[in-house]
Amino acid sequence: MVGIYCKNHHGTSNDELCSKCQQIKKYALLRLDKCPFQDKKSTCAKCTIQCYKPDMKQQIHIIMRYSGTRLLLHHPRIALHHLWDKHRKAPILDKGYSILL
Ligand SMILES: [Zn+2]
């Protein structure tokens, strides 16, 4: 997702990311890694935790919105799968589970 955005906005080639986008991707993956929902999770927009830092969240939101429409054109199957994911109910975090943000 970040790759599509970076390629069209920062002029990088296919598999490369500029340092800024690399950071964003790294951050997103890190957060995903720490997400307690994992497979059960819906998309992060609906997540009950909202674990991104506000500025990162905004960046990622912009990228996702941009890439989402592009993805629909180039990889409809993946995009539809993601769309379907979005309509799943966001899971509720068990009480007693604490997450270190
Ligand atoms: Zn970039």
Side-chain angles (χ1 to χ4, degrees), residues 2 5-7 9-12 16-22:
V2 183
Y5 179 86
C6 191
K7 192 179 153 198
H9 284 80
H10 307 140
T12 46
E16 277 175 59
L17 291 177
C18 70
S19 57
K20 199 180 157 196
C21 292
Q22 232 165 28

Side-chain angles (χ1 to χ4, degrees), residues 68-85:
T69 46
R70 296 298 178 289
L71 199 67
L72 198 64
L73 293 175
H74 300 294
H75 307 281
R77 281 180 86 181
I78 300 171
L80 282 175
H81 185 77
H82 195 71
L83 220 66
W84 181 80
D85 248 18

Side-chain angles (χ1 to χ4, degrees), residues 54-70:
D55 57 331
M56 277 295 185
K57 201 172 120 186
Q58 207 194 0
Q59 287 286 324
I60 288 163
H61 184 75
I62 292 167
I63 291 172
M64 286 304 165
R65 206 174 43 189
Y66 177 83
S67 303
T69 46
R70 296 298 178 289

Side-chain angles (χ1 to χ4, degrees), residues 17-64:
L17 291 177
C18 70
S19 57
K20 199 180 157 196
C21 292
Q22 232 165 28
Q23 245 184 356
I24 292 170
K25 192 181 175 183
K26 221 168 100 181
Y27 182 80
L29 289 177
L30 189 79
R31 294 266 62 125
L32 200 63
D33 201 45
K34 293 209 186 302
C35 181
F37 299 127
Q38 296 300 327
D39 289 348
K40 276 192 291 177
K41 81 183 273 300
S42 168
T43 54
C44 283
K46 273 200 168 180
C47 186
T48 45
I49 298 183
Q50 297 285 339
C51 58
Y52 294 134
K53 280 189 287 186
D55 57 331
M56 277 295 185
K57 201 172 120 186
Q58 207 194 0
Q59 287 286 324
I60 288 163
H61 184 75
I62 292 167
I63 291 172
M64 286 304 165

